[in-house]
Amino acid sequence: AGFLKTTAKLGPLALGAGVAKGLWEASQAASDFEFRMSAVSAVSGATGSALDGLREKALELGKDTVFTAEQSAQAIEELVK
C-alpha cells in the first residue's frame, strides 16, 4: 500500500520531468538549427531574404526527408564552402 501511495505521488512529478525534458530537447534542437544557419550565413555571405530562403529550404528538407532541419542546414553549409 505504501508503494502505491508513493507511486501515485511521484506520477505527476515524473510526468512533469518528462515534459520538461521534451521542452529542453526542442529548445536545444532550435538552438542547434539557428547556430548552423549562422554558420551557413558566415560561409556563404547570405543575408536577408537569401538567408531566409536557405533557412526555409533546410526546414522543408527536415520535414520531408529522413534528415533533421539541422542536418539539412549542415549539408547546405558544406555545399557552399
Side-chain angles (χ1 to χ4, degrees), residues 20-36 68-70:
K21 180 181 180 208
L23 291 173
W24 182 85
E25 288 173 350
S27 173
Q28 187 63 42
S31 176
D32 291 347
F33 176 75
E34 288 305 319
F35 174 81
R36 187 61 60 189
T68 65
E70 196 269 336

Side-chain angles (χ1 to χ4, degrees), residues 15-69:
L15 178 63
V19 169
K21 180 181 180 208
L23 291 173
W24 182 85
E25 288 173 350
S27 173
Q28 187 63 42
S31 176
D32 291 347
F33 176 75
E34 288 305 319
F35 174 81
R36 187 61 60 189
M37 289 309 302
S38 292
V40 168
S41 178
V43 171
S44 69
T47 60
S49 62
L51 184 59
D52 289 343
L54 292 172
R55 177 179 280 109
E56 289 302 315
K57 182 52 75 176
L59 289 170
E60 179 184 327
L61 290 169
K63 182 178 65 103
D64 295 342
T65 69
V66 298
F67 301 103
T68 65

